[in-house]
Amino acid sequence: MKTIAIIGSGIAGLSLGIRLQAKGFQVKLFEKNEQVGGHAYPFKENGYTFDMGPTLITAPEMIRDLYKAAGRDMRDYLDLIALDPFYRIYFHDGRHLDYTSDHEKMKQQLAQFDTRDAEAYDRFMLASKKIHDAVIGEKLGSKPFMNWSSMMGFAPRALKLGALLPSFSFTKRYFHHQNSRFTFSFHPLFIGGSPFRAPAVYQMIPYLEKTGGVWYTKGGMYTFISALRDLFSDLGGEIHVQSPVEQIVVKNGAAAGVQVQGNVFETDAVVSNADFIHTYRTLIAPQYRRKWNNKRLDRIDYSMSAFLIFLGVRKKYDKLKHHTLVLSHRYKELVRDIFDRKILPDDFSLYLYVPSRTDDSMAPEGCESMYILSPVANLQADIDWSQQAELYKNSILKYLEESFGLTDFRSNIETSRVFTPRDFEQKNNNTYGSAWEVEPRLMQTAIFRPHNRSEDVDRLYLVGASTHPGAGLPGVMMTAETTESLIVQDLNI
């Protein structure tokens, strides 16, 4: 039985571990922290339960397929709850939109902005479907782009579909009002990309959500991680927590194991679900890095980061849905402040995840469990979070109470914790504290993205947000399928 070491236990690492274990490999998974999950980490305080990472499930058929590949039924491990609406979006002009799969309701809501936008909705969704059918239906997202022949086969079709345009430009073809344009172009922000330069291949997401829904798991997103962990263990996989990998062992040009706390675990191959630059710069000796030397690593564009506030609040707020977006009057310029100028602006757009709106178990009776995310620049910015964190938190809370209208909000906060870009760097080894690693932009997509198989070290593979096809729950699950195919091919299983 051939053995595989996987560094990191995010959704991609667990998914790949399940696939490989089901194929007959012996998989050893090494996790730095006390629990598996990577960014999807939980904590509880004063009766409140918080998810610290991903907050929603899309493309549930990918999860079902993963369990099917392991010869199991997802329903024996996981119970999904459909959300409707998917999100509520509050615009700066005082109007809001409930983003839903209800076709006619969406058109009615778009008509309040511009009747032409309601008429364009069908055409936009058809265009989104065509991209979705290529990436998901034909599994281009699960096929490795390892050479130019694979890219040349995809590029002409992508051009025809408009999938290489910036996401906002693609959306602008169909919609006239700024609110409509935001509604159908913001999704790259959920995977760490700028809507103004992330390719429109990500514009498949509106159709994916419309047809597959947006889902939640009772008890919080960590129940999804627990379900993956349990399946991996049931298949015989080994989990080593509090086991940070210090080095990838290379022999005769090939990955031969990992060093953990001074001990070497010999394996037939190694997979990294860790941050890309951390993997190459920290875990692989320089003499083995002909392509990904430090100079080239320095040229990679990394995604934004996030400032998170976790709140337990002794009051219910009906204005909030399970997922709520609260927007600044600025869109493009705010995104430029975060991605390009790398400053901390005075205004902000916020994403609020309030699972207690759906699941009473997440908070004491009559209370809310809240996760507030503000996109911010990564640590390449000159922002001292030891000084700014409390000030920034207070400005957000003040805005939500005094401007957005959450009455008596601050006086009802029972428990509070923040998580800054510095915490992403220290807890998860995320380069520059980037929450989504390699930025999804055109010249870092498909063949231009770090490959699923290392170009420098034989039998070393990548999985997760940094590699093809990218971040987001469907994205990282597709990276697992892509990387699995390469390992099976290379190790002749």
Side-chain angles (χ1 to χ4, degrees), residues 89 91 93 95-100 102-125 171 174-186 206 210:
I89 303 173
F91 300 99
D93 61 12
R95 292 182 283 189
H96 74 266
L97 178 145
D98 284 338
Y99 192 107
T100 174
D102 187 319
H103 193 83
E104 290 307 314
K105 185 174 181 180
M106 284 298 293
K107 294 178 75 169
Q108 291 168 10
Q109 292 181 96
L110 292 170
Q112 72 174 311
F113 307 138
D114 193 311
T115 56
R116 295 172 296 176
D117 292 352
E119 296 166 1
Y121 180 68
D122 291 331
R123 291 186 289 110
F124 173 81
M125 276 299 171
T171 303
Y174 299 90
F175 300 108
H176 293 79
H177 197 280
Q178 186 72 1
N179 291 355
S180 304
R181 290 174 176 176
F182 175 87
T183 299
F184 296 105
S185 69
F186 78 88
K210 178 178 173 59

Side-chain angles (χ1 to χ4, degrees), residues 219-231:
M221 280 291 292
Y222 199 74
T223 59
F224 173 50
I225 300 301
S226 299
L228 295 180
R229 178 201 62 205
D230 292 347
L231 175 57

Side-chain angles (χ1 to χ4, degrees), residues 127-426:
S128 178
K129 177 183 185 300
K130 290 178 179 178
I131 300 174
H132 170 275
D133 289 350
V135 176
I136 305 293
E138 298 174 30
K139 289 187 173 290
L140 288 177
S142 302
K143 294 179 180 177
F145 281 78
M146 301 295 297
N147 53 55
W148 281 102
S149 62
S150 60
M151 188 66 179
M152 289 303 100
F154 170 68
R157 187 172 178 194
L159 284 167
K160 185 177 180 180
L161 294 173
L164 302 185
L165 289 169
S167 289
F168 184 80
S169 299
F170 182 91
T171 303
K172 193 176 178 180
R173 285 179 164 186
Y174 299 90
F175 300 108
H176 293 79
H177 197 280
Q178 186 72 1
N179 291 355
S180 304
R181 290 174 176 176
F182 175 87
T183 299
F184 296 105
S185 69
F186 78 88
H187 290 88
L189 289 165
F190 272 6
I191 55 173
S194 163
F196 300 95
R197 63 180 180 225
V201 67
Y202 298 108
Q203 293 306 98
M204 69 172 185
I205 297 175
Y207 182 79
L208 180 147
E209 291 180 331
K210 178 178 173 59
T211 56
V214 173
W215 302 78
Y216 170 75
T217 60
K218 186 172 177 59
M221 280 291 292
Y222 199 74
T223 59
F224 173 50
I225 300 301
S226 299
L228 295 180
R229 178 201 62 205
D230 292 347
L231 175 57
F232 177 68
S233 298
D234 289 349
L235 294 171
E238 295 181 21
I239 297 175
H240 302 265
V241 295
Q242 293 182 293
S243 299
V245 171
E246 300 157 340
Q247 182 182 0
I248 294 171
V249 177
V250 180
K251 293 182 180 179
N252 300 318
V258 294
Q259 179 178 306
V260 180
Q261 297 172 332
N263 300 310
V264 173
F265 293 79
E266 294 184 353
T267 58
D268 294 289
V270 175
V271 181
S272 180
N273 184 207
D275 174 89
F276 176 69
I277 289 182
H278 172 77
T279 297
Y280 272 87
R281 180 172 280 157
T282 307
L283 303 183
I284 303 172
Q287 63 265 32
Y288 302 121
R289 298 192 280 115
R290 295 177 61 185
K291 176 179 179 179
W292 291 110
N293 53 51
N294 288 349
K295 185 176 181 180
R296 181 156 185 172
L297 292 174
D298 288 340
R299 295 202 299 266
I300 293 179
D301 291 303
Y302 257 53
S303 77
M304 65 182 182
S305 189
F307 180 84
L308 304 176
I309 309 173
F310 303 95
L311 298 176
V313 184
R314 294 184 299 260
K315 187 175 181 179
K316 290 283 189 182
Y317 289 96
D318 292 337
K319 190 173 184 178
L320 302 176
K321 296 296 184 182
H322 191 105
H323 300 292
T324 305
L325 299 175
V326 182
L327 304 182
S328 164
H329 66 286
R330 298 193 304 151
Y331 184 18
K332 185 174 183 177
E333 289 305 306
L334 181 59
V335 170
R336 287 189 64 194
D337 283 350
I338 294 166
F339 280 86
D340 302 325
R341 301 184 184 105
K342 290 184 167 51
I343 61 174
L344 191 63
D346 293 330
D347 60 330
F348 30 70
S349 288
L350 304 172
Y351 162 59
L352 286 79
Y353 165 59
V354 190
S356 49
R357 302 303 305 169
T358 301
D359 182 358
D360 290 340
S361 72
M362 298 294 284
E365 185 177 356
C367 302
E368 301 280 30
S369 168
M370 293 188 187
Y371 157 129
I372 302 170
L373 184 152
S374 175
V376 295
N378 64 35
L379 291 175
Q380 291 174 304
D382 184 22
I383 301 171
D384 183 352
W385 285 107
S386 67
Q387 299 294 319
Q388 290 294 332
E390 192 67 18
L391 294 172
Y392 195 59
K393 181 191 82 169
N394 289 336
S395 67
I396 290 172
L397 300 183
K398 180 180 179 180
Y399 169 81
L400 288 173
E401 179 174 334
E402 298 181 4
S403 300
F404 182 61
L406 298 185
T407 306
D408 299 328
F409 186 50
R410 287 172 290 182
S411 63
N412 279 287
I413 293 173
E414 186 173 15
T415 185
S416 172
R417 183 187 297 190
V418 299
F419 201 85
T420 76
R422 189 64 65 187
D423 294 307
F424 279 105
E425 179 187 56
Q426 294 173 353

